[in-house]
Amino acid sequence: MRKTIHLQLFLVFALLPFFGEAQQQNSAYDEALAKALGADDYGMKMYTFVLLTTGEHTPEDQAVVAAAFAGHMANINRLAQEGKLLVAGPFGPNGDAMRGIFIFDSADTDEVRTWLADDPAISEGLLKASLYPWYGSAALPLYLETSEKIWKVKP
């Protein structure tokens, strides 16, 4: 009986440090920054992830396609300047009809749908947008500040 109690006490004290690490506090935590970015206790928040795939409309007139994609780029630039669109980019060639992604600084997919309504490549059916709630780092908006400092030629 005494050996069992000693063994139990030994196990409790031996494993105690491992239980403490599960809820380790971050010594670099900046509460003001976390609040400004809308971070939860894990430094995360909800966004809207958009997967762009090839749409169902394929116009024959290349001028129509060029105009739609010029409007698509203009819409991307406007939404990024407004701080709504955090990440945008095309996929390389693939056999899955995947064309690109967007990550929006909004958890409200209905709101994001209204922002995408102004995109002619989407509204004209050249691209299809599928929206998903996405949980990611609340620091993602800081990416825009850095990205503005590294491009040499605007597409």
Side-chain angles (χ1 to χ4, degrees):
M1 172 81 119
R2 194 169 260 225
K3 285 185 178 183
T4 303
I5 292 173
H6 285 271
L7 180 59
Q8 289 173 345
L9 285 173
F10 171 77
L11 288 174
V12 167
F13 286 109
L15 296 175
L16 195 57
F18 295 106
F19 292 114
E21 284 188 41
Q23 292 295 315
Q24 182 179 6
Q25 297 295 313
N26 178 3
S27 62
Y29 178 70
D30 182 333
E31 184 176 4
L33 179 60
K35 283 184 180 181
L37 292 171
D40 63 15
D41 286 348
Y42 304 109
M44 308 281 278
K45 72 180 217 177
M46 291 301 298
Y47 297 95
T48 298
F49 179 92
V50 178
L51 178 62
L52 297 172
T53 54
T54 301
E56 304 213 358
H57 183 229
T58 310
E60 297 282 327
D61 187 347
Q62 289 306 304
V64 170
V65 174
F69 280 99
H72 173 68
M73 293 306 297
N75 196 53
I76 288 172
N77 290 325
R78 179 183 58 80
L79 291 168
Q81 287 174 350
E82 293 172 1
K84 296 173 181 174
L85 180 60
L86 302 176
V87 175
F91 287 112
N94 64 81
D96 296 323
M98 292 188 187
R99 301 291 297 275
I101 66 164
F102 293 147
I103 299 176
F104 284 94
D105 196 4
S106 173
D108 185 341
T109 55
D110 290 332
E111 177 180 48
V112 171
R113 242 181 265 293
T114 65
W115 298 341
L116 293 174
D118 293 333
D119 189 312
I122 295 170
S123 63
E124 293 181 24
L126 280 69
L127 295 174
K128 178 185 174 197
S130 301
L131 286 67
Y132 305 94
W134 183 70
Y135 186 61
S137 171
L140 194 56
L142 300 177
Y143 154 83
L144 284 177
E145 181 181 320
T146 303
S147 70
E148 279 301 309
K149 297 175 184 175
I150 61 171
W151 62 268
K152 188 173 182 179
V153 178
K154 192 89 168 167

